[in-house]
Amino acid sequence: TFDWRKVSLDVLRKNQFEVAVNDLASLKILLTRPDIPFHLKLDTGMNRLGLKPDQWEQAIGMLRRAKRKPNGLFMHFAMSTGSSYRNQVMLFEEAVRWFWTSGCDAEWVHSENSGALFTSEKVEKGLVSQVGNLCRPGISLYGYTSRDLKPIQGISPVLELVSEIGLVKNVEKGEGISYGHLYRANKSHRYGVVPLGYADGISKMYANLMEPEWRSRSGKRKGSLKVCGAICMDMVMVRAERGEIKPHDRVAFWGRFPNPMLQERLVEPYELNLRLAKRLPRLWVD
């Protein structure tokens, strides 16, 4: 019969991966394979993955009987500030001390995600600050900070969602635009149709929140735009409060410019960027 577990372990060994262990059952399996290094995850309050405190003593016993040490001990923060953050720090310090004094010290100790890395409540004293030697930045690598932190100077988004105006039309005073006529023109004006929509990851709930940046065809900033009406599957209608929009003008929905949705914490940067459809072309620029 096909042994998927053995195949998976062989893939880990062959590619020299170090694996994260989140439960006692997985730890038991990895302890039979001294050729596969692992990092043991401890649950200090995130309550997602990892061993809870009442399992730590059992894990230490298993490690000692197998005469193994984890390559790493780590945890994940649920918050970047406040009492929950501080409680997790203290509990992780207790865990690291317990493992180390039991002879199960690890080469790598890591706890800081992006939020903890940039929080004002720095871990400057204690065992974690002394022996911690790795961090795991996630969203900050893409130029964003956690929702519960203020923007960090020097960090800017690496991704922009940009399209262009495909069609320019006129709307008369009192006429509606898009489904449900949620938008009605209070005066005659021109507007543009952009070939992106909720099928591409622009949620319909963003319509009244977005202020896309308006750029010329060459990329020069011309101001900001307003979304007029409901966002469609493949189209968004936009208007300029000043100036005249033209076909092929660029429209940046979010990127390296102030974004009210993020500034007012109305949406997570994860949600903005992870929902982008695979069909959108990705252009890599220096």
Side-chain angles (χ1 to χ4, degrees), residues 41-49 75-79 88:
K41 187 166 190 176
L42 307 178
D43 186 353
T44 61
M46 179 70 171
N47 284 314
R48 190 173 61 179
L49 299 176
M75 57 155 283
H76 192 84
F77 283 108
M79 298 179 66
Q88 283 195 263

Side-chain angles (χ1 to χ4, degrees), residues 83-104:
S83 60
S84 293
Y85 170 80
R86 293 188 290 272
N87 287 339
Q88 283 195 263
V89 172
M90 291 188 291
L91 190 54
F92 189 52
E93 289 202 346
E94 179 184 333
V96 172
R97 186 175 293 108
W98 191 359
F99 274 80
W100 280 48
T101 57
S102 300
C104 301

Side-chain angles (χ1 to χ4, degrees), residues 202-219:
I202 305 177
S203 173
K204 297 177 74 171
M205 65 178 287
Y206 301 158
N208 296 325
L209 307 176
M210 282 192 301
E211 293 183 6
E213 188 171 87
W214 176 25
R215 302 171 185 172
S216 67
R217 192 169 186 177
S218 63

